């Protein structure tokens, strides 16, 4: 049998596809027939020193895949499957794995270390395999370096896989001691030292206690800093990665080391190889991230003890940090603007400079201006580009007061450079910088306008000209125009853009037709800018927006004419359809929001819907997300007449709701069902059986991304509000589901911020469902059907009130539900509400809320309750 | 150990337009859901029914100018179409006759106090009624409209009421309308708000007077409706001081100074909901000390020698009050109706002859009436029974303020009988 496995594993890697498929099939059968024996033979294969390295490696990989999967539900199944295996079998497998760590064959021990970590991730939380860490640590003192390396790698993977709270502090201490010793300069073997450094990276999350101890922290920091000076470039890079992680995880412990950190990073940025230098810059970017977060969150007011204070490391380092970063800007690569994946010193340095500007604000301006002035007119394109990039980078952060006068001077220069500079990099960065100027210094919130009637025409003209430039430059020009029009979003009824509207639209459409529009995202940028032009348009230009409709429809029609596409061609078609549907959605939403424009728009509704349905039809299994999004906008604009599209649309709605894999599609479809309910009201009834069935299936699925579940509950409310008492037949399915979800979301104790946020989304969805159901049944003879559910709903309101962790949105919806319950159930609810533990406190708290919407809901609820009680 | 990749969006805006499209769609859906919710919460409870000819409101919109004419179609009452139900928002779009007829039925009309209700001191409020034009004030869609009791448009103006003026940057929803029960007081050009029916889209119809007055007093000031007039707030609104109807409250309402001309006292039962039409849970009373107009005057402003009253002619010739159910004062014979060319529904004016009104066990038994002719065309209703009775007793044996004080009693036990016993002892 064992011999056989070796051959099958080798065959599974054969170049001959018949042999390979046959082998894969045998492996699958073997696994299905007897999992225990299958896993045992794989572990035996991995441990067998006499086996070929290729079969050992594949055996290890199959083992690893038998323990973990990306999809949550699959992962859960695998974990349960492993836990259910016979204890003896598992012990044998684990022994093989540990034994393999000592193998001199690198691929074997390296694979084993990953498998061990996967097993540990399952077993340690169950308090199983308690001897694992002890036996790994005993390996550390083994003489062969490769055993030590494999063990350190295993410890690293283990720390990556396992949650810190399942490992005792005592064991954490021992792991850290072993790891840090391995990193020490005394360690002569570089493979061991590298493995240890990478292990520390993963172990940092376990080290909170150790970082609170001055002596231990000093020791760790000293070893890490020393490792950044190691002759081996990989170790230096790994050590800097540790420092980056320490800067984010232990920001508040950095003060004693910041000078040293600056010295070693400055040296690395100026002298070291690029991968190391990039990490050194990243370190400062990370510190900026921390300080930006702290300053944003607390607004500079640190009164509570538990808050992390801002140490202003960036502000202190500014005089040395800024010149260092400015130097990097001159290290551009040729053609970096044409390479989507490029990431180099100049890019990292400019990005960091932008973060520094956001951290310190005005203080950065005087430090950067001399560099810009010195370089912006130099003959070497690198200097001009670096100067421009520096300028663009510091536009977010400093106050408009500080920047406006400078920008007013620079604007003309930039416009000239965008037209006349001979270098494409310079033009690219110039157009980007103009975009940043418009993004941050132009708009209704800015006091002194940068764009005036005097220069508006020139700006538009230059940007439109640049759209004929190289694709990367044209793309940035589109981006600049995007922010230019966005600045006029709240302008009112007359926009300075109106005189140029026709020309802008014409130019953008022209760009989308360019032969080379596929390069540098140019076509996408042009459509996105067109969308923004439409969104920010006023009634003055509504007729021109309307004229766009047949143009975009024609383009969409053309994508449907293409026949027999290659897979690449199909992907391009799909992308283009997405852009065109997106554009139609934006137009529909815009025109649908104003009565006269909507009336004119409706003449196209049939044709548009027909096109969307054809877009759906040209794919077999999935629904086009952008088309679905656009259909929601059409439903909203159309109202009850939308019913005529339902017979054909329905199957695609169902398909969208079934799309677990692309959960965005499912989420969008759920939203569109809501639009349709509001548009059709009770005319949606014939489709509700199917829709409700699918929504209930979605809720029960553990495959569907959890973010879709709250909107599904809200959608119940939309349906109930639309069909009123006809919702009766769904009550017996929907109510228990709401009830159990409510129980799950009532308490959040011990949850992290992310979980609390999700719980609040879920609560809001549940409450919106209740709201819709109560309002839907109001004034119907069937309201008494809801009475049995009222005590539980009131209890749910009680418990989320007691929990004290709901956000404003939930508070608004919750107090509204209290009103809906009273409003619909009337005197039946009166006594229940009076018995409720906290309704009165809850209501009073909401009545005195500063939030306008909460107060409004609460006032309404108060009246509804008053009526219910006084009847 | 993946390298840090998060800085990649180099020279790119932070958010993709696709994400923006999704977000904006979600935002629109959220807003639509909120609107749907608001609609469901507000409107169903403020739906009022209305008899109308089967003409759709949209057709009526073309007759916009009609409402500016102050003339009433004389036979408006004769159209008895199928019942149409409008909510206030829809009704606010009604134009011309329909609007007048709809609004004419929406006010709560106090009965006249012809005897003292029990528990006056515990269950009732009292306040001095401002002299002026009783009207409904509706703010919606950025404008405010006031309509008199008979539905005629009084003013169209911007106000600080929710949704009462077209002020940019105020993003009130379309459902956010208000309905106030007011008296427009000419001398100081002020709307005195005597009751609140809807506020910011929330219906108060089914709330007790106690709650409505509380709401009225807190909300009106909050929005600045009581501020001095400005561009977006053409008329000042004011609340009237409302008292518990105990000795002190009644005294203050009766003789206490107010910034307006008094026209009698209004008594509101604390527990009563806002009920359209005549109601015995709101009462009006007056004497010469608190009103200039105690006894009805004729069209020339003179007090006629004989009491006059207006009754509605019914199908069978009977003459009815505006009460529901109506009280029958007598009938006209067919010959007379044919001769005079009267129709059912006509409002007819009569004088009370020397025979007066006779009662048996507190019920009207006989009325000696003399036909004077059709009533003024601006009238929308016949007189109510209590009005006729109040006018009758004012001319014969008025209900005096002393009686009211007596019913409250110094101890506030509110039993007029025990008070009498005490006096006798």
């Amino acid at each position: 049998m064992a011999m056989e496995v070796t051959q099958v594993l080798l065959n599974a890697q054969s170049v001959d596809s018949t042999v390979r498929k046959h082998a894969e099939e045998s492996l699958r059968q073997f696994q299905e027939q007897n999992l225990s024996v299958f896993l045992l033979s794989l572990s035996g294969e991995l441990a067998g020193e006499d086996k070929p390295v290729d079969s050992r490696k594949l055996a290890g990989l199959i083992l690893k895949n038998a323990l973990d999967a990306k999809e949550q539900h699959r992962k859960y199944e695998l974990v349960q499957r492993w836990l259910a295996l016979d204890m003896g079998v598992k012990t044998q497998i684990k022994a093989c794995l540990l034994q393999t760590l000592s193998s001199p064959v690198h691929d074997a021990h390296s694979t084993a270390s990953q498998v061990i970590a996967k097993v540990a991730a399952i077993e340690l939380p169950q308090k199983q395999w308690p001897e694992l860490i002890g036996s790994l640590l005993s390996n550390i003192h083994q003489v062969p370096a490769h055993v030590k390396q494999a063990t350190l790698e295993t410890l690293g993977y283990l720390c990556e896989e396992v949650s810190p709270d399942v490992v005792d502090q005592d064991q954490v201490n021992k792991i850290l001691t072993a790891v840090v010793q391995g990193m020490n300069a005394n360690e002569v073997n570089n493979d061991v030292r590298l493995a240890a450094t990478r292990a520390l990276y993963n172990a940092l999350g376990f080290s909170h206690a150790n970082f609170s101890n001055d002596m231990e922290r000093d020791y760790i920091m000293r070893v890490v800093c020393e490792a950044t000076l190691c002759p081996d470039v990989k170790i230096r890079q790994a050590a800097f990665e540790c420092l980056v992680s320490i800067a984010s995880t232990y920001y508040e412990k950095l003060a004693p080391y910041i000078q040293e950190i600056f010295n070693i990073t400055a040296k690395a940025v100026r002298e070291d190889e690029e991968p190391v230098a990039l990490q050194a810059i990243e370190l400062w970017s990370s510190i900026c991230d921390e300080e930006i977060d702290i300053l944003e969150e607390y607004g500079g007011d640190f009164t509570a003890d538990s808050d992390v204070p801002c140490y202003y490391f960036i502000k202190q380092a500014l005089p040395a940090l800024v010149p260092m970063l400015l130097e990097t800007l001159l290290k551009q690569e040729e053609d970096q603007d044409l390479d989507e994946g490029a990431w180099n010193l100049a890019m990292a340095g400019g990005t960091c400079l932008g973060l520094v500007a956001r951290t310190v604000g005005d203080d950065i301006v005087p430090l950067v201006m001399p560099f810009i002035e010195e370089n912006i007119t130099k003959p070497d394109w690198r200097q001009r580009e670096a100067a421009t990039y520096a300028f663009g980078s510091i536009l977010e952060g400093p106050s408009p007061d500080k920047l406006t006068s400078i920008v007013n001077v620079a604007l003309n220069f930039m416009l000239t450079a965008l037209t006349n500079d001979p270098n494409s990099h310079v033009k690219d960065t110039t157009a980007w910088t103009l975009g940043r100027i418009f993004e941050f210094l132009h708009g209704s919130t800015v006091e002194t306008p940068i764009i005036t009637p005097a220069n508006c025409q020139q700006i538009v003209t230059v940007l439109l000209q640049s759209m004929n430039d190289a694709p990367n430059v044209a793309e940035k020009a589109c981006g600049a125009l995007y922010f230019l029009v966005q600045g006029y979003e709240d302008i009112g009824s007359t926009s300075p853009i109106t005189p140029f509207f026709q020309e802008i639209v014409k130019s953008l459409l022209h760009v989308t037709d360019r032969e080379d529009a596929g390069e540098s995202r140019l076509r996408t940028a042009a459509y996105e800018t067109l969308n923004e032009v439409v969104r920010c348009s006023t009634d003055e230009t509504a007729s021109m927006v309307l004229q766009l409709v047949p143009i975009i429809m024609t383009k969409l029609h053309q994508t449907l004419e293409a026949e027999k596409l290659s897979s690449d061609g199909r992907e391009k078609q799909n992308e283009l359809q997405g852009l065109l549907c997106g554009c139609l959605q934006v137009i529909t939403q815009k025109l649908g929001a104003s009565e006269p424009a909507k009336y004119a728009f409706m003449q196209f509704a049939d044709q548009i819907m027909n096109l969307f349905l054809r877009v759906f039809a040209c794919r077999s299994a999935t629904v086009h997300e952008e088309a679905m999004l656009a259909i929601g906008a059409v439903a909203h604009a159309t109202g009850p007449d939308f019913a005529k599209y339902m017979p054909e649309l329905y199957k695609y709605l169902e398909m969208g709701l079934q799309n677990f894999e692309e959960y965005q599609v499912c989420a969008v479809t759920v939203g569109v069902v809501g639009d349709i309910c509001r548009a059709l009201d009770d005319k949606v009834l014939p489709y509700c059986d199917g829709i409700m069935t699918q929504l209930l299936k979605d809720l029960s699925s553990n495959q569907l991304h959890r973010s879709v579940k709250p909107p599904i509950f809200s959608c119940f409310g939309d349906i109930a509000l639309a069909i009123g008492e006809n919702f009766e037949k769904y009550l017996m399915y929907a109510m228990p589901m709401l009830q159990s979800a409510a129980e799950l979301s009532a308490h959040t104790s011990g949850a992290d911020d992310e979980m609390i946020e999700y719980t609040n989304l879920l609560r809001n969805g549940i409450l919106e469902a209740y709201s819709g159901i109560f309002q839907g049944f109001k004034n119907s003879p069937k309201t008494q059907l809801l009475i049995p559910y009222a005590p539980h709903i009131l209890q749910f309101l009680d418990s989320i009130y007691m929990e004290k962790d709901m956000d404003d949105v939930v508070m608004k919806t919750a107090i509204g539900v209290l009103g809906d319950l009273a409003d619909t159930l009337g005197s039946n609810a009166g006594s229940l509400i009076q018995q409720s533990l906290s309704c009165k406190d809850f209501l009073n708290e909401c009545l005195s809320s500063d939030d306008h919407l909460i107060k409004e809901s609460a006032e309404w609820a108060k009246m509804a309750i008053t009526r219910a009680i006084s009847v | 150990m993946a390298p840090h990749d998060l800085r990649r969006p180099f020279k790119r805006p932070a958010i993709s337009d696709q994400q923006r499209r999704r977000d904006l769609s979600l935002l629109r859906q959220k807003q639509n859901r909120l609107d749907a919710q608001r609609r469901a919460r507000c409107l169903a409870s403020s739906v009022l029914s209305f008899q109308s000819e089967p003409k759709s409101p949209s057709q009526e919109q073309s007759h916009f100018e009609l409402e500016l004419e102050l003339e009433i179609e004389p036979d408006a009452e004769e159209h008895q179409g199928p019942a149409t139900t409008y909510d206030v928002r829809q009704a606010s779009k009604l134009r011309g006759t329909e609007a007048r007829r709809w609004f004419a039925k929406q006010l709560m009309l106090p009965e006249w106090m012809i005897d003292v209700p029990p528990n006056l001191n515990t269950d009732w409020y009292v306040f001095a009624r401002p002299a002026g034009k009783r009207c409904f004030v509706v703010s919606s869609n950025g404008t405010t409209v006031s309509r008199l009791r008979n539905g005629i448009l009084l003013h169209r103006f911007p106000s600080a009421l929710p949704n009462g003026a077209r002020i940019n940057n105020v993003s009130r929803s379309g459902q956010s309308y208000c309905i106030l029960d007011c008296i427009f007081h000419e001398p100081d050009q002020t709307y005195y708000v005597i009751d609140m029916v809807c506020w910011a889209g929330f219906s108060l119809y089914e709330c007790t007077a106690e709650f409505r007055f509380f709401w009225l007093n807190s909300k009106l000031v909050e929005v600045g409706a009581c501020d001095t007039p400005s561009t977006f707030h053409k008329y000042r609104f004011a609340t009237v001081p409302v008292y518990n109807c105990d000795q002190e409250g009644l005294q203050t309402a009766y003789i206490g100074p107010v910034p307006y001309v008094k026209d009698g006292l209004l008594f509101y039962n604390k527990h009563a909901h806002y009920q359209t039409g005549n109601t015995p849970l709101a009462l009006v009373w007056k004497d010469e000390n608190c009103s200039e107009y105690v006894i009805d005057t004729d069209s020339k402003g003179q007090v006629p020698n004989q009491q006059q009253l207006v009754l509605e002619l019914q199908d069978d010739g009977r003459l009815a009050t505006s009460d529901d159910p109506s009280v029958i004062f007598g009938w006209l014979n067919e010959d007379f109706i044919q001769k005079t060319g009267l129709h059912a529904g006509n409002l007819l004016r009569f004088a009370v002859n020397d025979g007066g009104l006779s009662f048996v066990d507190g019920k009207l038994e006989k009325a000696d009436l003399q036909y004077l002719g059709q009533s003024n065309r601006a009238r929308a209703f016949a007189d109510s029974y209590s009005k006729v009775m109040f006018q009758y007793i004012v001319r014969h044996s008025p209900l005096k303020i002393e009686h009211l004080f007596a019913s409250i009693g110094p101890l506030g036990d509110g039993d007029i009988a025990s008070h009498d016993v005490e006096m006798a002892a």
Side-chain angles (χ1 to χ4, degrees), chain A residues 198 282 289 389 428-429 482 532 585 625-626 675 718 771 778 812 820 856 859-860 867, chain B residues 1 7 10-11 17-18 20-22 25 28-29 33-34 38 40-41 202-203 206 219:
Chain A
R198 288 182 175 166
E282 180 61 33
D289 284 342
Y389 190 30
D428 182 300
T429 303
Y482 187 102
E532 194 64 10
Q585 183 233 326
E625 180 189 343
E626 291 282 356
D675 280 327
D718 298 338
S771 220
K778 183 157 78 175
K812 189 215 93 190
D820 294 325
E856 188 185 75
E859 287 174 352
W860 181 79
R867 282 201 296 254
Chain B
M1 170 158 22
R7 317 269 175 226
F10 169 70
K11 289 204 229 169
D17 194 73
Q18 185 184 27
R20 197 160 142 78
R21 284 199 293 280
R22 280 192 199 121
S25 282
R28 175 183 58 72
Q29 287 166 347
R33 179 175 294 134
L34 198 68
R38 279 202 177 121
R41 284 178 182 166
F202 299 132
S203 163
E206 289 166 60
K219 291 293 141 188

Side-chain angles (χ1 to χ4, degrees), chain A residues 79 83 122-128:
Chain A
V79 167
L83 290 172
I122 298 175
E123 297 205 341
L124 295 191
Q126 308 287 327
K127 306 265 177 244
Q128 295 173 9

